[in-house]
Amino acid sequence: MHTQLKTKIGVLLVNLGTPDSCNVADVSSFLKEFLLDGRVIDAPYLLRQLLVRLFIVPKRKKRIAETYKSIWSDKGSPLAHYSSALKEKLQSALGDDYYVSLGMRYQSPTLRSALLELEKVGAKSMIIIPLFPQHASATSGSIIEQVMRFIMRWNVFPHMHILSDFYNHPQFILSHVALAQKQILSEYDHILFSFHGLPERHVEKARLFNANFCYKKSCYETAALIAEKLSLASSEYTVAFQSRLGKEIWCQPYMSDVIESLAKKGAKKVLVFSPSFVADCLETLYEIKVELQEEFKQHGGEKIDLVEGLNANDVWVDALKKIIQEIRK
C-alpha cells in the first residue's frame, strides 16, 4: 500500500548575510556581493562595477575586516549564529507540520540552498519572511526579487505568502517591549530609537511609486508604538538613523548629530533601541556599542546601553510563531 508523505508548510527566513569569516578575503567577497546589488547601489551597471571593485571595496575591506574581528566570537558571526538559532527554535515551536529553512541574501547559507531544501521536502505552500521589519527596496525588496528569480525556474510553483514587512505588528512590538522591560528606564536621561539609514533618494523613489509607502514613516511608527507600550512621553525619546555611506544625503536626523546634541544638553546616560535589526550584527554591536559610545564620551556623555536584540529570544520565537499562525488562518 502506497503511503503518501505528509505535506509540509515551508517557512523561509531570510536575513542580509555576513562574511564567512573575518579574514580580509572573505570580507571583500561579502562586500562585493552586497554592494554590487543594483538595489543597494542603484547606479548604472558599469559605473557600479567600477565604484565597488576599484574604489569602495579596496578602500574599506581591511578596516571593515577589523570591525568584524571585534564582534566575532567562537560561534562565528553574531548575525549568522542568532539567525541559525532562531531557525532551530522556530522549527521546534511550530512542530512537524512545518519545515523552516534559513537563507542569506548574500553569502552562506545561500538563498538558493534554502529554497532547494523546501523544494526537496515537497512544500506546496511557503511563507517567505525577509527579516527586516520596515520594508525597503535595498533589503526586503532585494530578497523578494532574488526569491522570485530562483522560483521562476521551478516546474511547479508553490502557493506563496510574502511577509513584506511587520514594523507595526503587535507581536513584533511586544517582543521589543518585553526585552526593554529588563532595563530600568528611569535610570536613563533619554531613549534613542536607531534605525538603519537609507539615501533620501531611495526613500523618495519608493514614495513616488506608491504614495502610501514610506520607509521613514514606518520607522517612526515602530518607535511610537514601542514608546506607547513603555509609557514614554514624546519628549523622552528620539528617532535617528545610522550607517551613512558616502556624501549623499541619507535619512535624517543622523545618529551622530543626535548623540552630540544630547551630550551637549547634559545627558549622561542613554538607552538605545535598534528595531530595524532582528539580530545583533555589525551595526548594533560595533556602530552603536563602540563607535557611538566613543562619540558620546567625546561630547561629554558617559554611557550608552543597547537594548538586547530580538536574536533568538523566546519572546521573538513565540511572536514569529503567532505571526505565521495568523497567516495560515
Side-chain angles (χ1 to χ4, degrees):
M1 181 177 177
H2 177 71
T3 303
Q4 188 175 8
L5 292 174
K6 186 175 182 180
T7 301
K8 300 273 189 180
I9 301 162
V11 177
L12 174 62
L13 303 177
V14 190
N15 213 326
L16 182 78
T18 180
D20 292 333
S21 79
C22 48
N23 293 330
V24 174
D26 285 336
V27 171
S28 177
S29 177
F30 168 73
L31 290 175
K32 286 176 186 175
E33 187 179 1
F34 171 44
L35 296 174
L36 286 172
D37 185 341
R39 286 180 178 266
V40 175
I41 296 180
D42 58 348
Y45 177 81
L46 288 177
L47 177 58
R48 185 167 69 251
Q49 293 286 330
L50 288 171
L51 286 172
V52 173
R53 295 182 183 278
L54 298 182
F55 296 99
I56 299 175
V57 172
K59 182 179 179 180
R60 295 174 177 267
K61 62 183 180 181
K62 290 183 180 179
R63 181 179 62 81
I64 293 176
E66 288 300 316
T67 62
Y68 271 110
K69 284 180 184 178
S70 73
I71 67 166
W72 220 260
S73 73
D74 55 356
K75 296 177 181 177
S77 159
L79 183 142
H81 164 66
Y82 288 129
S83 297
S84 180
L86 176 65
K87 169 199 163 184
E88 298 301 326
K89 292 177 78 170
L90 183 61
Q91 179 67 75
S92 178
L94 288 170
D96 292 338
D97 290 341
Y98 293 82
Y99 187 95
V100 182
S101 67
L102 169 69
M104 298 295 183
R105 175 60 184 87
Y106 314 107
Q107 302 295 283
S108 57
T110 66
L111 192 46
R112 182 175 181 273
S113 67
L115 284 164
L116 282 174
E117 282 185 36
L118 295 179
E119 187 182 25
K120 286 178 181 177
V121 299
K124 293 185 178 178
S125 64
M126 289 170 39
I127 300 169
I128 299 164
I129 307 178
L131 290 169
F132 292 91
Q134 302 83 18
H135 180 97
S137 174
T139 53
S140 302
S142 180
I143 288 167
I144 294 165
E145 179 183 5
Q146 192 76 339
V147 167
M148 295 301 112
R149 185 175 291 134
F150 288 126
I151 288 180
M152 68 183 289
R153 300 169 187 164
W154 292 9
N155 290 324
V156 179
F157 295 130
H159 176 270
M160 287 183 289
H161 180 102
I162 299 172
L163 187 65
S164 61
D165 63 51
F166 47 91
Y167 66 92
N168 59 357
H169 195 287
Q171 293 300 327
F172 170 67
I173 299 301
L174 289 173
S175 297
H176 279 290
V177 170
L179 294 175
Q181 287 173 337
K182 295 180 180 181
Q183 306 281 346
I184 302 174
L185 300 185
S186 60
E187 291 184 351
Y188 296 93
D189 299 310
H190 201 70
I191 309 294
L192 275 178
F193 289 91
S194 179
F195 293 88
H196 193 276
L198 289 176
E200 278 286 359
R201 182 173 49 80
H202 285 203
V203 177
E204 191 57 31
K205 275 174 65 176
R207 192 185 295 121
L208 289 172
F209 180 77
N210 183 343
N212 294 318
F213 173 82
C214 179
Y215 172 76
K216 286 179 69 175
K217 182 179 178 182
S218 63
C219 292
Y220 276 92
E221 185 172 343
T222 296
L225 289 169
I226 296 172
E228 180 183 10
K229 291 292 183 183
L230 293 172
S231 301
L232 295 175
S234 58
S235 60
E236 295 178 296
Y237 72 92
T238 300
V239 172
F241 298 87
Q242 64 183 91
S243 306
R244 281 185 284 171
L245 176 65
K247 297 179 180 179
E248 191 172 5
I249 296 174
W250 283 48
C251 295
Q252 297 181 56
Y254 298 136
M255 191 64 163
S256 293
D257 294 343
V258 171
I259 207 71
E260 178 181 353
S261 175
L262 286 172
K264 288 181 176 179
K265 290 177 181 177
K268 297 298 181 184
K269 195 173 181 183
V270 170
L271 182 66
V272 179
F273 286 82
S274 190
S276 53
F277 300 100
V278 300
D280 280 322
C281 53
L282 197 68
E283 286 83 353
T284 61
L285 299 176
Y286 188 81
E287 283 188 17
I288 293 176
K289 293 191 75 172
V290 178
E291 290 185 334
L292 199 67
Q293 175 71 67
E294 290 175 358
E295 288 183 40
F296 191 48
K297 286 185 175 180
Q298 287 172 5
H299 296 296
E302 294 177 359
K303 177 71 172 174
I304 283 181
D305 286 328
L306 179 66
V307 176
E308 183 181 0
L310 297 180
N311 296 323
N313 277 288
D314 289 343
V315 290
W316 177 224
V317 175
D318 187 58
L320 271 178
K321 176 184 176 180
K322 289 175 180 175
I323 290 170
I324 290 165
Q325 288 173 336
E326 283 179 15
I327 292 170
R328 290 294 302 163
K329 285 182 181 178

